Amino acid sequence: MSIRRTDLYALALCGVVSVTQMALAAPEKLEVCTTCHGADGSGAGFDNVPIIAGTPAAHLEEALYAYQDGARRCVEEPVMCETAANLSETEIVDLAEHFSAMGRISAGEARDEALVVIGERLHTEHCAKCHVLPGDEEVEDAIGIPLQGQRSAYLKLAFQSYLSGDRETLVPEMAEKLELLDASDIDALIKYYSSYEL
Ligand code: HEC
Ligand code: HEC
């Protein structure tokens, strides 16, 4: 039997569980998430798994709701969508808070100078106003999810999902920007993001 949060609060009030233990109580379902995303939110060892450590909570929540309502379909990893489907609103808020509170991690992939120059130019011109740097002081209020430092295999999957219609863009301008890009632009952007050292 699992212990629900509310039970923990009740136990704490009775003096059975100390406040320290309460603060350490992990969000429910966290263990399921960490099997793929890692305890540090890096998703290390799994190509298609995004780095979610340090992503603003509002975006993590939005993503989980998008999996629940079908705006995002899990083509490569159905378990992600199956897991999201069972989350309550409180669990979504708790899990988003948990991962967003962590420091951001860079994928630290190999740089290709020529591609990075092209990728950075495209990013600055078309994407930077919504996708600010993960460390930007405005990151919490930015419209887009931070992309610098993200792993290339996940970014590839995200672009493919938009292009195939398995993922809906939540803001129309994001879709318009994607239409401007050809395959080599996307490669350059992915190289720029995945080799960016935070
Ligand atoms: C079986 C592996 C697996 C498990 C378990 C899993 N995830 Fe994921 N997660 C993925 C993969 C793969 C993706 C990318 C899927 C896609 O969009 O096609 C992803 C994407 C996400 C995203 C979107 C991030 C972004 O930048 O858009 C969030 C948020 C997320 N997962 C949170 C969670 C949480 C919270 C849990 C636990 C309740 C969880 N995941 C469980 C593999 C997993
Ligand atoms: C008007 C704001 C806006 C602009 C401009 C924009 N995006 Fe986005 N982008 C978003 C939002 C909002 C999301 C998250 C919700 C969604 O899927 O639509 C997103 C999501 C993404 C994702 C998925 C990230 C993840 O973690 O899952 C990628 C990749 C991406 N954008 C790339 C780009 C690129 C490349 C450009 C420039 C060519 C761009 N975006 C321009 C708003 C924008």
Side-chain angles (χ1 to χ4, degrees):
M1 201 190 84
S2 65
I3 299 178
R4 289 182 306 137
R5 268 202 156 198
T6 41
D7 298 334
L8 279 176
Y9 284 111
L11 289 172
L13 285 174
C14 305
V16 179
V17 179
S18 74
V19 172
T20 334
Q21 277 171 298
M22 243 178 70
L24 290 176
E28 291 178 33
K29 312 251 168 95
L30 179 61
E31 264 177 53
V32 184
C33 319
T34 56
T35 54
C36 296
H37 290 279
D40 62 357
S42 71
F46 297 94
D47 268 1
N48 290 325
V49 178
I51 294 170
I52 56 172
T55 301
H59 284 295
L60 296 177
E61 286 177 27
E62 206 171 81
L64 293 167
Y65 287 122
Y67 289 124
Q68 282 192 338
D69 67 22
R72 285 181 75 162
R73 287 172 282 283
C74 302
V75 244
E76 301 281 337
E77 190 43 86
V79 176
M80 177 61 230
C81 282
E82 287 158 20
T83 310
N86 296 318
L87 298 174
S88 69
E89 236 176 276
T90 317
E91 285 167 339
I92 288 182
V93 170
D94 287 351
L95 289 164
E97 196 144 303
H98 177 81
F99 286 107
S100 70
M102 297 175 171
R104 189 74 182 176
I105 300 163
S106 332
E109 296 181 27
R111 244 176 107 86
D112 175 316
E113 209 49 47
L115 283 181
V116 166
V117 170
I118 300 169
E120 184 168 16
R121 184 177 46 73
L122 288 166
H123 174 80
T124 308
E125 190 177 339
H126 299 294
C127 326
K129 84 166 186 195
C130 297
H131 295 282
V132 303
L133 282 168
D136 192 288
E137 55 183 28
E138 303 287 323
V139 72
E140 303 278 341
D141 301 320
I143 301 175
I145 307 177
L147 300 172
Q148 282 92 347
Q150 186 57 274
R151 132 170 330 109
S152 60
Y154 170 70
L155 289 170
K156 233 171 250 169
L157 173 66
F159 280 113
Q160 272 165 14
S161 303
Y162 287 124
L163 297 175
S164 65
D166 286 311
R167 179 169 175 183
E168 289 167 24
T169 49
L170 299 180
V171 290
E173 198 185 334
M174 162 75 200
E176 288 161 21
K177 293 293 186 188
L178 288 178
E179 277 172 24
L180 299 175
L181 308 174
D182 64 23
S184 67
D185 294 335
I186 291 178
D187 280 349
L189 281 160
I190 291 177
K191 205 59 179 169
Y192 163 62
Y193 296 136
S194 61
S195 64
Y196 193 97
E197 287 292 344
L198 300 170

